Amino acid sequence: MEKNGNKRGRQDVDPGVAIKCVVEDKGACENEQSPAIVAVCERGQSPLSVADEIEDPSAKRSSSNGDREPKRYKKRKIALMIAYCGAGFQGMQRNPGATTIEGELEKALFQAGAIQDSNVGQPKKVGWMRAARTDKGVSALGQVVSGNFFIDPPGLVERVNSHLPAPIRVLGYKRVTPSFDAKQNCVRRRYEYVLPVYVFDPDLVTACLAEQEANNPGASELDDGAIAALTSSDGAVQSDSTTVDTTAVDVSDTASEQQTRSVSAIALSDVETAPAPRIQNPEEDGNQRATRAAAKEAEKDMEMAEIRKYLMEKSGAKNAFQFGEDCINRLNRVLGRFVGSHSYHNFTPRTKATDPSSLRYIISFEAESKFVVDGVEFVRCSVVGQSFMLHQIRRMVGLAVAVVRGCAPESILETALRRQAPPSLESTDSEVKVPMAPELGLFLEECYYSSYNSKFGKLHEEVSLVDYTTDVRKFKHEVIYPHIASTEARDLVFASWVQRINDEHFPHFALAREKENLAKAAPK
C-alpha cells in the first residue's frame, strides 16, 4: 500500500470483481482509529454496500482498539431445494391476497434472517427465481428457488423450516455462481402423475349410470327444456357466450351410445345453466338459484353414493377390474405418442395452433408399475420435458385416460397434436377439446441442471437432489402419496372425474370415431 499525504490507495481483488478503495484518515493513521472506508466498485456497485451486508448483534469481533463491533454477514447466491404438498395453496407463484408457496417461503426466509425487511416483497432485489410454476393444488419434491440470501450464521435450513407450515420443507441449499438462474439453467423437468387404476375400469361409469336411471328414471330431462347446458373441455362451466354444438355428432353406433349421456345424469353438479331472461323480482330469482343449487348438490351426493357402492362391491371380488400387463402396455403406447416435438395448443388455454409458443419437446412419458396406498392400487406416470405449458400435463393425462378407456380413438392424438392444419383442411380440424385430469395426482419430481453442473461442477456444488435422496423418498411416501390416497377416499376426485369423459362433454370424440369408421369403410 502506498502512502500519499494523508490518503492511501489500495487495490483489492474480489473473485471476478475489481475493487478500488480510498481511505480518508484525517488523522486516523496517527492513532490507528478505524478509518471511514469508501468502497467504489469499478462495475458500478460495491459488494460491500449496506444492501449486501447485515449485522449480527449476537456475533462480535474485536477492533484494533479493543472495542467490540457487530459482525457483518454478506449475501450469498444459493439454490434452495424445496418439497411441498400443494393442498390448500393457490399455486407456487406469489399472488397478493392469496396463500401461495412462494409467499410462505419468503415470509419464513425473512423471519429466519435470510432476507432484509427492505427487500420483502421485492423479488428482483434478491434475484428471486423459481425453477417451475406449479398450479393450484400441485405438489413438488424437487422445486428449486435461487436468490441472494444471508446464509449465516449456520443453521439456515433449520431456522427457515421452523417458520414454515408443515406441508412445506426446505431440504437444503447449494452455493451457486452469481449468474445462476433456477429457471434459465434448468434444462429439463420431471413430473409424476399418480392416479388410481380404477379410472381405467369401463364398468365404473356404466354401472353408476344404470344405478342412477333405476333410482331416478326422470333424471335424463331437465325441468326447463329451454335451458342449455354449457360445459368446457374439462367439464367446468364455460362463459355465457360459449356453446357446445352436438348436432353434428353421429352417435348411431353402440359405442357412441354408451358414451353419450344426459348432462344431468352424468354430472349435474358440474353443469350450470345458460343465462335466463332478466327477472324483475330479485327474491324470485334468488329462490330459483337456491333451488337449482340444491338440485345440483343432491345429484352430486347421489353420484358419490353410487360410486362408493360400486367400488365397495368390486373391492376384493373375483370379477373386479384388473389393471394388468395389457393395460399398462396400452397406456404406455398412448403416452409414447406424446414423445418428441408437438404443438400443445389444445392442451393449454387461449393458444392457437399457429402460435410458436405451443411447441414443446417431450423427452419421455411412461407408466411404471403399480403400487398400493391404503389398500388402493395406483399407477404412476412419469413425464420428462424441457418445459411445460399451463395445464399441459393434466390434459395429456386426461386424453390418455380417455383413449385407454375407449372413449376416444387413438387417431384423435394426431389431430390434437397437429401444429397447423394442412391447406386442404379447415383450421378447426386442428382444434380438439381435451379432458383435464385433476390436479390432485400431479407433482414436480425433479429439476435437472446437467449443463450447469458439467460447466461449474468442479468449482461449485452440484445442483441436484443426490444429497437429499432419503428426505425426498420420505416426503413422497409419508406426505404426498398418503395425501393423494386420503383425498381420493374422501372426495372421490378421480372417480367423479371419469364420469364426465363422454361425448356429451367432448363431442370431438364421436367425430374422431366417425372419421375413423369412414376411413375403414372407404374402398381401397
Side-chain angles (χ1 to χ4, degrees):
M1 181 177 298
E2 298 179 359
K3 292 185 178 181
N4 183 12
N6 64 341
K7 294 188 178 182
R8 291 179 296 178
R10 184 178 66 180
Q11 185 75 22
D12 294 337
V13 179
D14 199 34
V17 181
I19 307 296
K20 182 187 295 180
C21 296
V22 179
V23 180
E24 298 181 356
D25 306 318
K26 295 185 178 180
C29 294
E30 299 177 0
N31 56 19
E32 296 298 324
Q33 296 283 338
S34 299
I37 300 177
V38 180
V40 181
C41 178
E42 292 184 351
R43 288 188 177 180
Q45 182 181 5
S46 171
L48 303 179
S49 63
V50 175
D52 290 331
E53 292 188 355
I54 190 170
E55 294 183 356
D56 177 17
S58 63
K60 302 292 183 178
R61 64 179 179 180
S62 299
S63 63
S64 58
N65 64 353
D67 294 336
R68 306 291 286 178
E69 297 180 352
K71 185 177 180 179
R72 303 181 73 86
Y73 294 132
K74 295 176 63 176
K75 288 181 181 178
R76 306 294 183 183
K77 190 65 172 288
I78 63 173
L80 290 164
M81 307 296 177
I82 306 164
Y84 54 84
C85 178
F89 296 96
Q90 302 296 314
M92 171 67 183
Q93 188 176 13
R94 59 170 54 85
N95 186 10
T99 303
T100 65
I101 303 296
E102 277 190 334
E104 295 297 319
L105 179 61
E106 182 185 46
K107 187 193 308 180
L109 286 169
F110 166 69
Q111 293 172 334
I115 299 179
Q116 288 177 280
D117 55 356
S118 60
N119 290 341
V120 174
Q122 305 291 331
K124 289 184 179 180
K125 287 187 176 182
V126 296
W128 186 294
M129 183 54 64
R130 76 196 77 82
R133 184 179 61 182
T134 54
D135 300 336
K136 172 187 175 183
V138 177
S139 304
L141 286 174
Q143 178 69 273
V144 179
V145 170
S146 60
N148 296 291
F149 305 111
F150 297 107
I151 62 176
D152 294 314
L156 174 65
V157 174
E158 291 75 14
R159 293 198 305 275
V160 175
N161 282 333
S162 68
H163 296 291
L164 282 171
I168 308 176
R169 294 291 90 183
V170 173
L171 305 177
Y173 66 87
K174 300 288 186 179
R175 290 282 301 276
V176 293
T177 61
S179 62
F180 179 84
D181 186 295
K183 180 180 178 181
Q184 298 299 328
N185 288 112
C186 183
V187 295
R188 52 180 174 156
R189 298 159 177 85
R190 177 188 295 275
Y191 282 83
E192 185 174 304
Y193 196 96
V194 175
L195 64 166
V197 298
Y198 55 65
V199 300
F200 300 102
D201 181 4
D203 294 334
L204 175 60
V205 175
T206 56
C208 293
L209 288 172
E211 187 75 15
Q212 286 179 358
E213 303 236 345
N215 295 335
N216 191 7
S220 59
E221 296 182 3
L222 294 174
D223 295 336
D224 186 356
I227 296 177
L230 302 177
T231 55
S232 66
S233 60
D234 58 353
V237 179
Q238 284 188 347
S239 62
D240 296 341
S241 61
T242 307
T243 59
V244 179
D245 181 13
T246 58
T247 59
V249 180
D250 185 356
V251 292
S252 58
D253 57 281
T254 304
S256 299
E257 291 177 354
Q258 293 178 351
Q259 297 300 326
T260 306
R261 309 292 178 185
S262 71
V263 174
S264 60
I266 293 173
L268 190 58
S269 61
D270 292 306
V271 178
E272 190 169 293
T273 59
R278 182 181 297 275
I279 300 176
Q280 298 299 325
N281 189 342
E283 182 178 355
E284 182 182 1
D285 186 32
N287 292 336
Q288 287 184 345
R289 287 197 300 268
T291 302
R292 194 187 310 277
K296 291 178 182 179
E297 192 65 26
E299 288 287 345
K300 183 177 180 180
D301 292 342
M302 181 184 297
E303 180 184 86
M304 296 275 283
E306 288 155 2
I307 293 173
R308 291 188 191 280
K309 178 181 177 182
Y310 175 81
L311 294 176
M312 288 293 293
E313 290 176 350
K314 290 295 183 180
S315 178
K318 292 182 179 180
N319 62 340
F321 172 73
Q322 299 294 326
F323 188 75
E325 198 69 25
D326 292 340
C327 291
I328 293 180
N329 291 338
R330 187 181 182 194
L331 177 58
N332 275 321
R333 184 175 71 249
V334 173
L335 296 179
R337 298 286 294 271
F338 292 104
V339 175
S341 182
H342 301 286
S343 174
Y344 287 91
H345 59 282
N346 287 312
F347 297 79
T348 192
R350 301 176 296 277
T351 303
K352 296 182 179 181
T354 55
D355 192 338
S357 66
S358 66
L359 284 178
R360 290 292 187 269
Y361 180 73
I362 303 301
I363 299 171
S364 65
F365 198 1
E366 57 186 8
E368 301 176 7
S369 58
K370 298 180 297 182
F371 65 100
V372 179
V373 181
D374 296 338
V376 179
E377 286 187 337
F378 289 84
V379 60
R380 59 173 67 93
C381 301
S382 181
V383 57
V384 180
Q386 293 177 338
S387 61
F388 298 90
M389 306 180 76
L390 178 65
H391 298 161
Q392 179 185 338
I393 298 176
R394 292 169 59 188
R395 292 185 186 272
M396 291 165 68
V397 173
L399 187 56
V401 170
V403 172
V404 174
R405 283 180 56 85
C407 303
E410 286 192 36
S411 59
I412 200 172
L413 291 164
E414 181 181 355
T415 305
L417 295 170
R418 184 183 295 150
R419 184 179 184 212
Q420 188 173 8
S424 60
L425 300 176
E426 297 181 2
S427 60
T428 55
D429 285 350
S430 61
E431 296 178 1
V432 177
K433 288 188 176 181
V434 177
M436 183 166 66
E439 71 273 9
L440 175 63
L442 180 64
F443 61 89
L444 173 65
E445 189 169 22
E446 187 171 1
C447 298
Y448 296 91
Y449 297 89
S450 54
S451 297
Y452 170 86
N453 290 333
S454 62
K455 184 176 182 180
F456 298 103
K458 294 182 179 180
L459 300 176
H460 293 78
E461 297 176 281
E462 178 182 290
V463 181
S464 70
L465 293 179
V466 174
D467 295 337
Y468 314 106
T469 303
T470 302
D471 293 334
V472 167
R473 180 177 178 82
K474 182 178 180 181
F475 195 89
K476 178 191 287 188
H477 289 272
E478 294 184 4
V479 179
I480 293 184
Y481 283 167
H483 161 67
I484 295 174
S486 61
T487 303
E488 176 62 16
R490 183 185 67 244
D491 301 332
L492 295 176
V493 177
F494 289 99
S496 299
W497 167 66
V498 296
Q499 308 296 314
R500 302 191 298 272
I501 304 180
N502 51 64
D503 292 344
E504 184 72 27
H505 292 92
F506 306 99
H508 289 90
F509 291 175
L511 292 173
R513 286 196 303 272
E514 181 64 20
K515 289 181 179 180
E516 193 173 82
N517 292 335
L518 291 174
K520 292 179 180 179
K524 297 181 180 180

